[in-house]
């Protein structure tokens, strides 16, 4: 990942509220297109130039060729706030982030995220590195907002269960990220279908697993959708102990027994 700075210059008198709406609107649409990562983008002003720092998946993530219709529209509307098209300055590699997958066409890919990740939820099945969303072409209504929203919700449930404070809340969260009859899974599976249909790459959905009666029953559990055996001989990337090619599901051995 790369840290970049967007520099917005004014060409006429304007107001802070107009600038705030214009810049934040653009950053939101860049985020929903997968071109910037995270949810907070501080804006500073220096000698009449507004500056925003963000993390991007790749060095050229903000190249216009990747812009969605929504991003292009926001850039065109910057003039309404008396702002010029932003100048982009790449500050360097973000040492705290994962590198993007080198190949956007892996042999298989998986929807996988956790509450500590801000990168793309679509991972290469070959390396488990994140694939920039704008590289896939698997957008809905022009961008990847639905997928980013799904990721945000998944991460919220993951953070709830990791906090380990309220048992009713933990059960609700675990049901959403670990059960195939949950509303979150239903939406995620539709997104998975869309991605696979568009990219023509086998795309899997990660089911979180914790709990269980004992190690033996966990090792021998079957696919929750089709009931077939789905255990793999060696854990994929040290994480996925189960993989169903029919249902396009992967999962881990319960964290209670690792």
């Amino acid at each position: 990942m790369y840290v970049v700075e967007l520099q917005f210059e004014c060409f006429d008198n304007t107001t802070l509220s107009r600038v705030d709406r214009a810049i934040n609107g653009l950053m939101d649409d860049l985020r929903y297109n997968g071109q910037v990562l995270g949810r907070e983008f501080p804006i500073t002003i220096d000698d009449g130039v507004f500056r925003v720092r963000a993390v991007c998946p790749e060095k050229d993530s903000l190249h216009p060729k990747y812009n969605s219709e929504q991003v292009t529209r926001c850039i065109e509307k910057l003039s309404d706030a008396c702002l010029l098209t932003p100048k982009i300055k790449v500050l360097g590699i973000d040492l705290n982030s994962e590198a993007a997958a080198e190949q956007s066409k892996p042999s298989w890919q998986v929807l996988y995220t956790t509450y500590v990740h801000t990168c793309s939820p679509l991972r290469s099945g070959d390396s488990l590195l994140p694939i920039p969303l704008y590289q896939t072409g698997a957008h809905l209504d022009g961008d990847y907002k639905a997928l980013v929203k799904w990721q945000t919700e998944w991460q919220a449930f993951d953070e709830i269960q990791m906090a380990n404070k309220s048992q009713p809340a933990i059960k609700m969260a675990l049901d959403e990220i670990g059960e195939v009859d949950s509303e979150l899974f239903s939406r995620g599976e539709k997104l998975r279908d869309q991605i696979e249909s568009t990219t023509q790459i086998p795309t899997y959905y990660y089911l979180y697993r914790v709990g269980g009666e004992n190690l033996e029953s966990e090792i021998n559990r079957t696919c929750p959708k089709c009931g077939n055996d789905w255990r793999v001989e060696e854990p994929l990337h040290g994480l996925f102990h189960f993989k169903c090619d029919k249902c396009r599901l992967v999962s881990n051995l319960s964290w209670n027994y690792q």
Side-chain angles (χ1 to χ4, degrees), residues 30-239:
L30 286 170
R31 176 187 171 226
Y32 291 138
N33 198 45
Q35 291 171 272
V36 298
L37 305 170
R39 284 180 274 178
E40 296 185 1
F41 308 102
I43 303 173
T44 62
I45 184 171
D46 179 25
D47 292 332
V49 177
F50 295 91
R51 304 176 190 273
V52 181
R53 287 193 177 183
V55 175
C56 295
E58 299 175 296
K59 198 171 184 178
D60 67 340
S61 294
L62 296 182
H63 192 286
K65 66 182 178 182
Y66 297 127
N67 290 352
S68 64
E69 293 180 5
Q70 291 88 331
V71 169
T72 299
R73 190 160 51 245
C74 274
I75 291 175
E76 291 173 348
K77 288 185 177 180
L78 287 174
S79 60
D80 294 343
C82 300
L83 295 173
L84 298 173
T85 299
K87 296 178 181 178
I88 310 300
K89 182 179 181 181
V90 178
L91 301 180
I93 296 175
D94 180 14
L95 299 180
N96 289 324
S97 297
E98 295 180 83
E102 292 185 2
Q103 295 182 340
S104 59
K105 297 291 184 181
S107 61
W108 66 287
Q109 53 198 10
V110 57
L111 280 179
Y112 168 78
T113 191
T114 75
Y115 79 98
V116 298
H117 290 122
T118 58
C119 58
S120 167
L122 184 65
R123 302 278 188 135
S124 166
D126 300 326
S127 64
L128 205 60
L129 292 175
I131 300 172
L133 295 179
Y134 53 81
Q135 294 279 19
T136 68
H139 52 74
L140 290 170
D141 300 322
D143 62 13
Y144 305 88
K145 185 175 183 178
L147 186 55
V148 173
K149 288 288 190 181
W150 168 86
Q151 178 186 25
T152 302
E153 192 171 346
W154 204 104
Q155 292 173 333
F157 287 127
D158 189 30
E159 188 165 12
I160 288 172
Q161 66 92 15
M162 288 297 291
N164 199 27
K165 296 295 183 180
S166 167
Q167 289 304 313
I170 291 172
K171 183 181 184 308
M172 176 272 295
L174 288 176
D175 285 348
E176 286 296 324
I177 63 178
E179 300 294 337
V180 295
D181 58 356
S182 72
E183 194 274 336
L184 183 67
F185 175 82
S186 178
R187 285 191 288 110
E189 188 175 45
K190 290 178 181 177
L191 292 168
R192 187 215 66 80
D193 290 343
Q194 167 71 15
I195 293 170
E196 179 166 311
S197 176
T198 303
T199 63
Q200 293 297 294
I201 297 172
T203 306
Y204 291 71
Y205 185 103
Y206 169 64
L207 278 178
Y208 184 87
R209 179 67 176 178
V210 70
E213 296 181 1
N214 53 59
L215 178 58
E216 182 179 1
S217 65
E218 279 300 301
I219 290 175
N220 294 308
R221 69 187 178 98
T222 57
C223 173
K225 285 199 72 176
C226 67
N228 291 336
D229 179 34
W230 63 332
R231 184 184 174 195
V232 296
E233 292 186 6
E234 292 292 333
L236 303 171
H237 305 295
L239 174 62

